[in-house]
Amino acid sequence: MKIDPIKRELLKNALVTIADNALVMVVRTARSANVKNSMDFSAAICDGQGRLVAQGMAVPVHLGAIMPALKGCLDYFGDDIQPGDVLASNDPYSGCSHLNDIFTFKPVYANGRRIAFVGLILHHTDLGGRVPGGNAADSNEIFEEGLRIPPVKLVEAGRPSRPMLRMIEFNSRVPERVLGDLKAQLAALDQAEKELQKLLGAWEIDAFDGYMSNLIDYAEELTRSSIAALPDGEVEFEEWNDDDGVHEGPFKIHLKLTKRGEEIVCDFSQSPPQQGGAVHSNYVFTASCAYAAIRTLIGETVPNNAGLYRPIRVIAPEGSIVSARFPAAVGSRGQIGFRIRSIVLGALGKLTGGRMPACPGGSEFAIAASGYGADGRRFLHLEFHNTTGNGGGPLRDGQDAGPNCISNLANVPVELIEAENPIRVEEYAFLADTGGAGKYRGALGIARQYRFLSSDVVVQVRSDRFKSRPWGMNGGGEGAAARAWLNPGTRGEAALPSKFIRVMQENDVFRAEMAGSGGYGDPAERDPVAVMEDVMQGKITPAHAREAYGVVINADGSLDLSGTRALRQDRARLPEGQAA
């Protein structure tokens, strides 16, 4: 069949639009802040065989799990799939990622033939388990983490499964919110199916199927071309994680990245074995994180589909921290996922001679706080504040409070947190002097400070970067480390670890300070005017300007250019490691 490239591009855009429209439907109808505000969801369209063809605006690391999750459903149901069915699963050992992410797939038929699947992933607030929110870092088995849903039919021949919906309802601490989000998910699938059926009406079915296959092949061709343009080589990169949730750390994760011709191999074989806790990743999520990181170097015009993954091979031995073996808990796999992504990005930076920005900041911070308000109703605040912005890059500073290229969850507004929960957010602010120094500065760290307005609130926090800092690139400095306190500034002040579960009482305060991003390039090459502007905006102090950049700021805030030249010249003459 001869392919018309213009027609192929129109089809690609139409499929992406259908996926995006499904997510708009979710935002308009969902109940939880994590879904409707943070947008912790993803949408995709697969062909009738289960191959990813298009994706919408989404969390990048969700999408590498789309095909394995759908394959788990197809392997179980085989030919027992009919029009009007909705397949669902959240089981990490059936191709999904962790229990809070429920994957749903609806088949689309034309002339009695299955042509495609529309798919949606939503992170649901609570599916039971020993700790509210289900993300506890110190769980040791998946059975502690909540309701495990194997491949099932959530809807069969157009009729919702009442037993399954009741099972989910009875296994959640906030069933109204979870069922509301689940119904939004199902409604969005229905809408996507209708829009896809409308699109199919303008096509001959064999041609539509052929163009979808070609779209995947086209993405592979472009991906291979982009990889071929990178230098060949073998580089190694390692990072540290504070702990695994139950054992003292830090522990090292190692990557050997090999690029030859049109292919990339990411080999995590030297990473440590799993020991316990829930800061593990299954293979599916590790591969998904690696794909998302490599995607940042692939041309923007390359379609996001299965073809993108074909030239990339991920090696992660079963039983390791990056490929946990059943029945390991994986509820906190998101945190180790950030480390996997930063390792791959660091290796790509070495491979390309610094084309990549420095390490993004943030402490991979997640909080779940649950208790009962004055009205006697259960509340459960779930929030992921994963990044504080990018590291400095080859051309510009990291954007303070900006999204990271591979984690695009949105901010939860303070007003919404306070309206829905007995929680007061006392501070939400940049932290001065925390961005890594460099020719281009890393994004600043961010503080979140919460006061709890009811008693016996179970607070579970998953974070990191207390012991290892976000790295700089090409001579740039590290970002500041993360920190956390209970009741700061009082007689009861106490430092807290990066991961904990504890009961907070009324007027207890929890403060989280997230790590700053790494800097790019030699700080001595930073424009003194840019340093002065950072001082004027309160992003750095005059003392930090002098110490980190060799820039002298006068008492009135003006730039002392002659003093700066002299200080930098003095430092340039000193042996490395000595300060003027």
Coordinates of all heavy atoms in Angstrom, one line a residue, residues 366-445:
A366 N 6.5 13.3 47.9 CA 5.0 12.9 47.9 C 4.5 12.9 49.4 O 5.2 12.4 50.2 CB 4.9 11.5 47.3
I367 N 3.3 13.4 49.6 CA 2.8 13.4 50.9 C 1.3 12.9 50.8 O 0.6 13.2 49.9 CB 2.8 14.8 51.6 CG1 2.2 14.7 53.0 CG2 2.1 15.8 50.7 CD1 2.3 16.0 53.8
A368 N 1.0 12.0 51.8 CA -0.4 11.6 51.9 C -0.8 11.8 53.4 O -0.1 11.3 54.3 CB -0.6 10.1 51.6
A369 N -1.7 12.6 53.7 CA -2.2 13.0 55.0 C -3.6 12.7 55.2 O -4.5 13.2 54.4 CB -1.9 14.4 55.3
S370 N -4.0 11.8 56.1 CA -5.3 11.4 56.3 C -5.8 11.3 57.7 O -5.0 11.0 58.6 CB -5.5 10.0 55.7 OG -6.8 9.5 55.7
G371 N -7.0 11.7 58.0 CA -7.6 11.7 59.3 C -9.1 12.1 59.2 O -9.7 11.9 58.1
Y372 N -9.6 12.7 60.3 CA -11.0 13.1 60.3 C -11.1 14.5 60.7 O -10.4 15.0 61.6 CB -11.8 12.2 61.3 CG -11.9 10.8 60.8 CD1 -10.9 9.9 61.2 CD2 -12.9 10.3 60.0 CE1 -10.9 8.5 60.8 CE2 -13.0 9.0 59.6 CZ -12.0 8.1 60.0 OH -12.0 6.8 59.6
G373 N -11.9 15.3 59.9 CA -12.1 16.7 60.2 C -13.1 16.9 61.3 O -13.7 15.9 61.9
A374 N -13.4 18.2 61.6 CA -14.4 18.5 62.7 C -15.8 18.0 62.4 O -16.5 17.7 63.3 CB -14.4 20.0 62.9
D375 N -16.1 17.8 61.1 CA -17.4 17.2 60.8 C -17.5 15.7 60.8 O -18.5 15.1 60.5 CB -17.8 17.7 59.4 CG -16.8 17.3 58.3 OD1 -15.8 16.6 58.6 OD2 -17.0 17.7 57.1
G376 N -16.4 15.1 61.2 CA -16.3 13.6 61.4 C -16.1 12.9 60.1 O -16.1 11.7 60.1
R377 N -15.9 13.6 59.0 CA -15.6 13.0 57.7 C -14.2 12.7 57.5 O -13.3 13.5 57.9 CB -16.2 13.8 56.6 CG -17.7 14.0 56.6 CD -18.2 14.7 55.4 NE -18.0 13.9 54.2 CZ -18.3 14.3 53.0 NH1 -18.9 15.5 52.8 NH2 -18.1 13.5 51.9
R378 N -13.9 11.6 56.8 CA -12.5 11.3 56.5 C -12.0 12.2 55.4 O -12.7 12.5 54.4 CB -12.4 9.8 56.0 CG -11.2 9.5 55.2 CD -10.0 9.0 56.1 NE -10.3 7.7 56.6 CZ -9.3 6.9 57.1 NH1 -8.1 7.4 57.3 NH2 -9.6 5.7 57.6
F379 N -10.8 12.7 55.6 CA -10.1 13.4 54.5 C -8.8 12.7 54.2 O -8.2 12.0 55.0 CB -9.8 14.9 54.9 CG -8.7 15.0 55.9 CD1 -7.4 15.2 55.6 CD2 -9.0 15.0 57.3 CE1 -6.4 15.3 56.6 CE2 -8.0 15.2 58.3 CZ -6.7 15.3 57.9
L380 N -8.4 12.9 52.9 CA -7.1 12.3 52.5 C -6.5 13.2 51.5 O -7.0 13.3 50.3 CB -7.3 10.9 51.9 CG -6.1 9.9 51.9 CD1 -6.5 8.5 51.5 CD2 -5.0 10.4 51.0
H381 N -5.5 13.9 51.9 CA -4.8 14.8 51.0 C -3.6 14.1 50.4 O -2.7 13.6 51.1 CB -4.2 16.1 51.7 CG -3.3 16.9 50.9 ND1 -3.7 17.4 49.7 CD2 -2.0 17.3 51.1 CE1 -2.7 18.1 49.2 NE2 -1.7 18.0 50.0
L382 N -3.6 14.0 49.1 CA -2.5 13.3 48.3 C -1.9 14.4 47.4 O -2.6 15.0 46.6 CB -3.0 12.2 47.5 CG -2.0 11.4 46.7 CD1 -1.0 10.7 47.5 CD2 -2.8 10.4 45.8
E383 N -0.5 14.5 47.5 CA 0.1 15.5 46.6 C 1.5 15.0 46.2 O 2.3 14.5 47.1 CB 0.3 16.8 47.5 CG 1.0 17.9 46.7 CD 1.1 19.1 47.6 OE1 0.7 19.1 48.8 OE2 1.7 20.1 47.2
F384 N 1.8 15.2 45.0 CA 3.2 14.9 44.5 C 3.8 16.2 44.0 O 3.2 16.8 43.1 CB 3.1 13.9 43.3 CG 2.5 12.5 43.7 CD1 1.2 12.2 43.5 CD2 3.4 11.6 44.3 CE1 0.7 11.0 43.9 CE2 2.9 10.3 44.6 CZ 1.5 10.1 44.5
H385 N 4.9 16.6 44.6 CA 5.6 17.8 44.2 C 7.0 17.3 43.8 O 7.9 17.4 44.6 CB 5.6 18.8 45.3 CG 5.8 20.2 44.8 ND1 7.0 20.6 44.1 CD2 5.1 21.3 44.9 CE1 6.9 21.9 43.9 NE2 5.8 22.3 44.3
N386 N 7.1 16.8 42.6 CA 8.3 16.0 42.3 C 9.5 16.8 42.0 O 10.7 16.4 42.3 CB 8.0 15.0 41.2 CG 7.0 14.0 41.6 OD1 7.1 13.4 42.7 ND2 6.0 13.7 40.7
T387 N 9.4 17.9 41.3 CA 10.6 18.6 40.8 C 10.4 20.1 41.2 O 9.3 20.6 41.4 CB 10.8 18.5 39.3 OG1 9.6 19.0 38.6 CG2 11.0 17.1 38.9
T388 N 11.6 20.8 41.2 CA 11.6 22.2 41.5 C 12.0 23.0 40.3 O 12.2 24.2 40.3 CB 12.5 22.5 42.7 OG1 13.8 22.0 42.4 CG2 12.0 21.9 44.0
G389 N 12.2 22.3 39.2 CA 12.7 22.9 37.9 C 13.9 22.3 37.4 O 14.6 21.5 38.1
N390 N 14.2 22.6 36.1 CA 15.4 21.9 35.5 C 16.7 22.5 36.0 O 16.8 23.5 36.6 CB 15.3 22.2 34.0 CG 14.6 21.1 33.3 OD1 14.7 19.9 33.6 ND2 13.8 21.5 32.2
G391 N 17.7 21.7 35.8 CA 19.1 22.2 36.0 C 19.5 23.2 35.0 O 18.8 23.4 33.9
G392 N 20.5 23.9 35.2 CA 21.0 24.8 34.2 C 21.4 24.1 32.9 O 21.8 22.9 33.0
G393 N 21.2 24.7 31.8 CA 21.5 24.0 30.5 C 22.5 24.7 29.7 O 23.1 25.7 30.1
P394 N 22.8 24.2 28.5 CA 23.8 24.8 27.7 C 23.6 26.2 27.3 O 24.5 26.9 26.9 CB 23.8 23.8 26.4 CG 23.2 22.6 26.9 CD 22.2 22.9 28.0
L395 N 22.3 26.6 27.3 CA 22.0 28.0 26.8 C 21.3 28.9 27.8 O 21.2 30.1 27.6 CB 21.1 27.8 25.6 CG 21.6 27.1 24.4 CD1 20.6 26.9 23.3 CD2 22.9 27.8 23.8
R396 N 20.8 28.3 28.9 CA 20.0 29.1 29.8 C 19.9 28.5 31.2 O 20.2 27.4 31.4 CB 18.5 29.3 29.3 CG 17.8 28.0 29.2 CD 16.4 28.2 28.6 NE 16.4 28.7 27.2 CZ 16.5 27.9 26.2 NH1 16.5 26.6 26.3 NH2 16.6 28.4 25.0
D397 N 19.5 29.4 32.2 CA 19.2 28.9 33.6 C 18.1 27.9 33.6 O 17.2 27.9 32.7 CB 18.9 30.1 34.5 CG 20.0 31.1 34.7 OD1 21.2 30.7 34.3 OD2 19.8 32.2 35.2
G398 N 18.1 27.1 34.6 CA 16.9 26.3 34.9 C 15.8 27.1 35.3 O 15.9 28.1 36.0
Q399 N 14.6 26.8 34.8 CA 13.4 27.6 35.1 C 12.9 27.3 36.6 O 12.5 26.2 36.9 CB 12.3 27.3 34.1 CG 11.0 28.1 34.4 CD 9.9 27.7 33.5 OE1 10.0 26.8 32.7 NE2 8.7 28.3 33.6
D400 N 13.0 28.3 37.4 CA 12.5 28.1 38.8 C 11.1 27.7 38.8 O 10.2 28.4 38.2 CB 12.7 29.4 39.6 CG 14.2 29.8 39.7 OD1 15.0 29.0 40.0 OD2 14.5 31.0 39.4
A401 N 10.8 26.6 39.6 CA 9.4 26.1 39.7 C 8.8 25.6 38.4 O 7.7 25.3 38.3 CB 8.5 27.1 40.3
G402 N 9.7 25.4 37.4 CA 9.2 24.9 36.1 C 9.1 23.4 36.1 O 9.6 22.7 37.0
P403 N 8.4 22.9 35.1 CA 8.3 21.4 35.0 C 9.6 20.8 34.5 O 10.3 21.5 33.8 CB 7.2 21.3 34.0 CG 7.3 22.5 33.1 CD 7.7 23.6 34.0
N404 N 9.8 19.6 34.9 CA 10.9 18.9 34.4 C 10.5 18.2 33.1 O 9.3 17.8 32.9 CB 11.4 17.9 35.4 CG 12.6 17.0 34.9 OD1 12.4 15.8 34.8 ND2 13.7 17.6 34.7
C405 N 11.5 17.9 32.2 CA 11.1 17.4 30.9 C 10.5 16.0 31.0 O 9.8 15.6 30.0 CB 12.4 17.3 30.1 SG 13.7 16.3 30.8
I406 N 10.6 15.3 32.1 CA 10.1 14.0 32.1 C 9.1 13.8 33.3 O 8.8 12.7 33.7 CB 11.2 12.9 32.2 CG1 12.2 13.2 33.2 CG2 11.8 12.7 30.8 CD1 13.3 12.2 33.3
S407 N 8.7 14.9 33.9 CA 7.7 14.8 35.0 C 6.8 16.0 34.9 O 7.2 17.1 35.4 CB 8.3 14.7 36.3 OG 7.4 14.7 37.4
N408 N 5.7 15.9 34.3 CA 4.9 17.2 34.1 C 3.6 17.2 34.9 O 2.6 17.7 34.5 CB 4.6 17.3 32.6 CG 3.8 16.1 32.1 OD1 3.7 15.1 32.8 ND2 3.2 16.2 30.9
L409 N 3.7 16.7 36.2 CA 2.5 16.9 37.0 C 2.4 18.4 37.4 O 3.4 19.1 37.6 CB 2.7 16.1 38.3 CG 2.8 14.5 38.2 CD1 2.8 13.9 39.5 CD2 1.6 14.0 37.4
A410 N 1.2 18.8 37.5 CA 0.9 20.2 37.7 C 0.8 20.5 39.2 O 0.7 19.6 40.0 CB -0.4 20.6 37.1
N411 N 0.9 21.7 39.6 CA 0.9 22.2 41.0 C -0.6 22.0 41.5 O -1.5 22.3 40.8 CB 1.3 23.6 41.0 CG 1.1 24.3 42.4 OD1 1.8 23.8 43.3 ND2 0.3 25.2 42.5
V412 N -0.6 21.6 42.8 CA -1.9 21.7 43.5 C -2.0 23.0 44.2 O -1.2 23.3 45.1 CB -2.0 20.5 44.5 CG1 -3.4 20.6 45.3 CG2 -1.9 19.2 43.9
P413 N -3.0 23.8 43.9 CA -3.1 25.2 44.5 C -3.3 25.1 46.0 O -4.0 24.2 46.5 CB -4.4 25.8 43.8 CG -4.5 25.0 42.5 CD -4.0 23.6 42.8
V414 N -2.6 26.0 46.7 CA -2.7 26.1 48.1 C -4.2 26.2 48.6 O -4.7 25.6 49.5 CB -1.9 27.2 48.7 CG1 -2.2 27.5 50.1 CG2 -0.4 26.9 48.5
E415 N -4.9 27.1 47.8 CA -6.3 27.3 48.2 C -7.2 26.1 48.2 O -8.1 25.9 49.0 CB -6.9 28.4 47.2 CG -6.3 29.7 47.3 CD -5.0 29.9 46.5 OE1 -4.6 28.9 45.9 OE2 -4.4 30.9 46.5
L416 N -6.9 25.2 47.2 CA -7.6 23.9 47.1 C -7.3 23.0 48.3 O -8.2 22.4 48.9 CB -7.4 23.3 45.8 CG -8.2 22.0 45.5 CD1 -9.6 22.3 45.3 CD2 -7.6 21.3 44.3
I417 N -6.0 22.9 48.6 CA -5.6 22.1 49.7 C -6.3 22.5 51.0 O -6.9 21.6 51.7 CB -4.1 22.2 49.9 CG1 -3.3 21.6 48.7 CG2 -3.6 21.4 51.2 CD1 -1.8 21.8 48.8
E418 N -6.4 23.8 51.2 CA -7.0 24.3 52.5 C -8.5 24.2 52.4 O -9.1 24.0 53.5 CB -6.5 25.7 52.7 CG -5.0 25.9 52.9 CD -4.6 27.3 53.2 OE1 -5.4 28.2 52.8 OE2 -3.5 27.5 53.7
A419 N -9.1 24.3 51.3 CA -10.6 24.2 51.2 C -11.1 22.7 51.4 O -12.1 22.5 51.9 CB -11.0 24.7 49.8
E420 N -10.2 21.8 51.0 CA -10.7 20.4 51.0 C -10.2 19.6 52.3 O -10.7 18.5 52.5 CB -10.3 19.6 49.8 CG -10.9 20.2 48.5 CD -10.6 19.3 47.3 OE1 -9.7 18.4 47.4 OE2 -11.3 19.4 46.3
N421 N -9.3 20.2 53.0 CA -8.7 19.4 54.1 C -8.4 20.4 55.3 O -8.2 21.6 55.1 CB -7.3 18.9 53.7 CG -7.4 18.1 52.4 OD1 -7.8 16.9 52.4 ND2 -7.0 18.7 51.3
P422 N -8.4 19.8 56.5 CA -8.1 20.6 57.7 C -6.5 20.8 57.8 O -5.9 20.3 58.7 CB -8.6 19.8 58.9 CG -8.6 18.4 58.4 CD -8.9 18.5 56.9
I423 N -6.0 21.5 56.8 CA -4.6 21.7 56.6 C -4.4 23.2 56.2 O -5.1 23.7 55.4 CB -3.9 20.8 55.6 CG1 -4.1 19.3 56.0 CG2 -2.5 21.1 55.3 CD1 -3.6 18.3 54.9
R424 N -3.4 23.8 56.9 CA -3.0 25.2 56.4 C -1.6 25.1 55.9 O -0.7 24.6 56.5 CB -3.1 26.1 57.6 CG -2.8 27.6 57.2 CD -2.7 28.5 58.5 NE -4.0 28.4 59.2 CZ -4.1 28.4 60.5 NH1 -3.0 28.5 61.3 NH2 -5.2 28.3 61.1
V425 N -1.5 25.7 54.7 CA -0.2 25.7 54.1 C 0.4 27.1 54.5 O 0.0 28.1 54.0 CB -0.2 25.6 52.5 CG1 1.2 25.7 51.9 CG2 -0.9 24.3 52.1
E426 N 1.4 27.1 55.4 CA 1.9 28.3 55.9 C 3.0 28.9 55.1 O 3.3 30.1 55.2 CB 2.5 28.0 57.3 CG 1.4 27.6 58.3 CD 1.9 27.5 59.7 OE1 3.1 27.2 59.9 OE2 1.1 27.8 60.7
E427 N 3.6 28.1 54.3 CA 4.7 28.7 53.4 C 4.8 27.8 52.1 O 4.8 26.6 52.2 CB 6.0 28.7 54.1 CG 7.1 29.4 53.3 CD 8.4 29.6 54.0 OE1 8.5 29.2 55.2 OE2 9.4 30.0 53.4
Y428 N 4.9 28.5 51.0 CA 5.2 27.9 49.7 C 6.1 28.8 49.0 O 5.6 29.9 48.5 CB 3.8 27.7 49.0 CG 4.0 27.0 47.7 CD1 5.0 26.1 47.4 CD2 3.0 27.2 46.7 CE1 5.1 25.5 46.1 CE2 3.1 26.5 45.5 CZ 4.1 25.7 45.2 OH 4.2 25.0 44.0
A429 N 7.4 28.6 49.0 CA 8.3 29.6 48.7 C 9.6 29.1 48.1 O 10.0 27.9 48.3 CB 8.7 30.5 49.9
F430 N 10.3 29.9 47.3 CA 11.6 29.6 46.8 C 12.6 29.6 48.0 O 12.4 30.4 48.9 CB 12.1 30.5 45.8 CG 11.4 30.4 44.5 CD1 10.8 31.5 43.9 CD2 11.3 29.2 43.8 CE1 10.1 31.4 42.7 CE2 10.6 29.1 42.6 CZ 10.0 30.2 42.0
L431 N 13.7 28.9 47.9 CA 14.7 28.8 48.9 C 16.0 29.4 48.3 O 16.6 28.9 47.3 CB 15.0 27.4 49.4 CG 13.9 26.7 50.1 CD1 14.1 25.2 50.2 CD2 13.7 27.3 51.5
A432 N 16.4 30.6 48.9 CA 17.6 31.3 48.3 C 18.8 30.4 48.4 O 19.0 29.6 49.3 CB 17.8 32.6 49.1
D433 N 19.7 30.6 47.5 CA 21.1 30.0 47.5 C 21.1 28.5 47.3 O 22.0 27.8 47.6 CB 21.8 30.3 48.8 CG 22.1 31.8 49.0 OD1 22.0 32.6 48.0 OD2 22.3 32.2 50.2
T434 N 20.0 27.9 46.8 CA 19.9 26.5 46.7 C 20.1 25.9 45.3 O 20.4 24.8 45.1 CB 18.5 26.0 47.1 OG1 17.5 26.7 46.4 CG2 18.3 26.2 48.6
G435 N 20.0 26.8 44.2 CA 20.3 26.4 42.9 C 21.8 26.2 42.7 O 22.6 26.9 43.2
G436 N 22.1 25.1 42.0 CA 23.5 24.8 41.7 C 24.2 26.0 40.9 O 23.6 26.5 40.0
A437 N 25.4 26.4 41.4 CA 26.1 27.5 40.7 C 26.6 27.0 39.4 O 27.0 25.9 39.2 CB 27.2 28.0 41.6
G438 N 26.7 28.0 38.4 CA 27.2 27.6 37.1 C 27.1 28.8 36.2 O 26.6 29.9 36.6
K439 N 27.7 28.7 35.0 CA 27.5 29.7 34.0 C 26.0 29.9 33.8 O 25.5 31.1 33.6 CB 28.1 29.3 32.7 CG 28.0 30.3 31.6 CD 28.7 29.9 30.3 CE 28.5 30.9 29.2 NZ 29.2 30.5 28.0
Y440 N 25.2 28.8 33.9 CA 23.8 28.9 34.0 C 23.3 28.2 35.2 O 23.6 27.0 35.5 CB 23.2 28.2 32.7 CG 23.6 29.0 31.4 CD1 24.5 28.4 30.6 CD2 23.1 30.2 31.2 CE1 24.9 29.1 29.4 CE2 23.5 30.9 30.0 CZ 24.4 30.4 29.2 OH 24.8 31.0 28.0
R441 N 22.6 29.0 36.1 CA 22.2 28.5 37.4 C 21.1 27.5 37.3 O 20.2 27.5 36.5 CB 21.7 29.7 38.2 CG 21.2 29.4 39.6 CD 20.8 30.7 40.3 NE 19.8 31.4 39.6 CZ 18.5 31.1 39.5 NH1 18.0 30.0 40.0 NH2 17.7 31.9 38.8
G442 N 21.2 26.6 38.3 CA 20.1 25.6 38.4 C 18.9 26.2 39.1 O 19.0 27.2 39.8
A443 N 17.7 25.6 38.9 CA 16.5 26.1 39.5 C 16.6 26.0 41.1 O 17.2 25.1 41.6 CB 15.3 25.4 39.0
L444 N 15.9 27.0 41.7 CA 15.9 27.0 43.2 C 15.1 25.9 43.8 O 14.1 25.4 43.2 CB 15.4 28.3 43.7 CG 16.1 29.6 43.3 CD1 15.4 30.8 43.8 CD2 17.6 29.6 43.8
G445 N 15.5 25.5 45.0 CA 14.7 24.6 45.8 C 13.4 25.3 46.3 O 13.3 26.5 46.2

